[in-house]
Amino acid sequence: MLEINNLSVEFKDVTAVKNVSLSVARGEILGILGESGSGKSTIAHSILRLIYPPGKIVAGEIIFNGQDLMKLSEDEMIKIRGAKISMIFQDPFSSLNPVFTVGEQIAEVIRLPQGLNRREAYDKAVQMLELVKIKDPAARIKDYPHQFSGGMRQRVMIAMALACEPELLLADEPTTALDAAIQDEILNLLRELKDKFNLSIIYITHNFSIIKSLCSRVVVLNKGKLVEEGGVEDILQNPQEPYTQNLINCVKILNNYCPT
Ligand code: ADP
Ligand code: MG
C-alpha cells in the first residue's frame, strides 16, 4: 500500500536520507531501526510531505495506494494527512493543547473531515477514547491533558490519530518517553488496533527489542542510508551488516543485565 523509491532528503549541506527504498503492505507493521540522527523521522515527515526549508526532498517517489504523493498539490495532501496517513510522536504532551479538554481536541480533528456536527463529533470522540481503553471515557473526555499520565496521553494521541480511520499510521518513537510496563501496554494496544482495522504501521525506534516484539519486517538505517532489511527473525539470527550486529549485541547485553 506504501512504496518509497529512492528517497533522498537534504537539509542544506546535510544529507539526512540517501536513496532509501522501502515498502509496507496492508495490515503490516514495518520497523525502521536506527540510532538518533539516522534519518528515521525525516522519512516519516517526507511521507506526509512535512519537510520545510532548509529541508528539501531532492529525489524519490512515495507511492501510496498507487498514487505518487510527491506529485499531489498541497490541497490534495491536506486530504491525505490525518485522514489516510496519520502520525504519533514521542512526546504526546507537546502535541496536545493544554487549554482545551481532550474531548474538544479529538472532536476538532474529526468534525470537518468526517462532516459531523458538534454533538456527533463529541460522541465519536468518546467512542475513540473507549477504543484506546481509557476507563470511564464519557467523564475523562472533559479532562485537560495535564490530568492524564504520560501513557494515557499517548492513548489520547492514538485516539486522535485514528479518529479519521487512516490506513497507515506512522509511529515515531511513541513509547520512548514511557516506563517499560506502560510501553508494553501501548505496544499491545497498537497490535490490537492493527488487527481490528487492518491498519498498516511504520514503527520507528532505536530499540531492537521493540522491533522484535512488534514487527515482522525491519529496515535498518545508518547515517541516512538503508544498510539492511528483511524479516526480523532472520536479521536477529544472521545480521549481515556490522552496524546491525552491534545493535543486536547491545540488546543482548542489556537483556542479560535485566532479563525481560
Ligand atoms: P532520527 O529521527 O533518526 O533521529 P532525523 O531524521 O531527525 O533522525 O535527522 C536526520 C538528520 O537530518 C540529522 O543529521 C539531523 O540533524 C538532520 N535534520 C533533521 N531535521 C532537520 C532540520 N529541521 N534542520 C536541519 N537539519 C535537520
Ligand atoms: Mg527522530
Side-chain angles (χ1 to χ4, degrees):
M1 57 106 66
L2 181 85
E3 189 179 307
I4 298 182
N5 296 317
N6 305 106
L7 177 70
S8 293
V9 184
E10 291 174 1
F11 289 93
K12 278 196 180 141
D13 43 358
V14 178
T15 302
V17 172
K18 190 159 189 183
N19 216 15
V20 166
S21 299
L22 57 83
S23 66
V24 193
R26 193 80 217 243
E28 179 187 36
I29 310 186
L30 174 77
I32 298 185
L33 179 71
E35 40 190 63
S36 179
S38 58
K40 306 182 297 298
S41 297
T42 301
I43 293 177
H45 298 153
S46 301
I47 294 169
L48 287 168
R49 267 194 25 206
L50 294 173
I51 300 285
Y52 297 108
K56 190 171 188 306
I57 299 176
V58 292
E61 291 178 328
I62 298 175
I63 314 283
F64 176 69
N65 289 338
Q67 219 177 12
D68 187 356
L69 299 183
M70 298 302 300
K71 298 205 171 106
L72 298 187
S73 67
E74 182 55 25
D75 282 350
E76 289 169 315
M77 260 329 278
I78 286 172
K79 293 189 192 126
I80 300 248
R81 287 188 203 116
K84 300 273 182 206
I85 307 177
S86 201
M87 187 160 175
I88 53 175
F89 313 88
Q90 178 171 335
D91 179 2
F93 209 33
S94 64
S95 9
L96 288 168
N97 190 327
V99 303
F100 293 105
T101 66
V102 303
E104 286 163 336
Q105 294 185 64
I106 301 175
E108 185 63 30
V109 298
I110 28 193
R111 204 161 54 83
L112 286 179
Q114 305 242 32
L116 305 177
N117 67 32
R118 268 174 201 287
R119 185 69 247 169
E120 290 163 340
Y122 206 77
D123 290 345
K124 175 92 195 266
V126 175
Q127 285 170 25
M128 291 310 297
L129 283 194
E130 199 167 9
L131 179 74
V132 297
K133 307 210 166 104
I134 288 181
K135 289 200 188 80
D136 200 5
R140 293 306 313 263
I141 198 116
K142 301 190 183 87
D143 287 344
Y144 291 85
H146 74 267
Q147 294 170 282
F148 289 80
S149 66
M152 286 296 153
R153 281 200 287 267
Q154 196 53 275
R155 285 173 194 265
V156 171
M157 285 312 297
I158 294 170
M160 224 185 249
L162 297 186
C164 294
E165 296 160 26
E167 295 170 34
L168 173 64
L169 177 68
L170 309 173
D172 190 357
E173 314 225 27
T175 65
T176 301
L178 304 174
D179 296 345
I182 308 288
Q183 171 171 305
D184 285 346
E185 285 175 22
I186 298 286
L187 296 180
N188 285 337
L189 176 65
L190 286 176
R191 246 185 239 111
E192 238 181 86
L193 293 170
K194 176 201 80 112
D195 290 339
K196 189 160 184 177
F197 299 111
N198 199 22
L199 189 64
S200 307
I201 301 178
I202 295 183
Y203 196 98
I204 292 175
T205 178
H206 61 274
N207 182 332
F208 199 93
S209 309
I210 292 182
I211 298 271
K212 189 168 172 282
S213 87
L214 196 64
C215 309
S216 50
R217 249 172 4 100
V218 62
V219 302
V220 184
L221 288 184
N222 184 15
K223 301 196 181 91
K225 290 189 193 153
L226 196 156
V227 292
E228 185 143 31
E229 71 174 304
V232 170
E233 285 306 322
D234 293 341
I235 288 185
L236 190 64
Q237 299 306 326
N238 192 15
Q240 297 298 310
E241 292 287 325
Y243 176 76
T244 320
Q245 287 164 9
N246 247 328
L247 280 177
I248 290 171
N249 284 338
C250 291
V251 171
K252 284 183 180 157
I253 291 165
L254 280 175
N255 283 348
N256 285 340
Y257 280 119
C258 44
T260 48

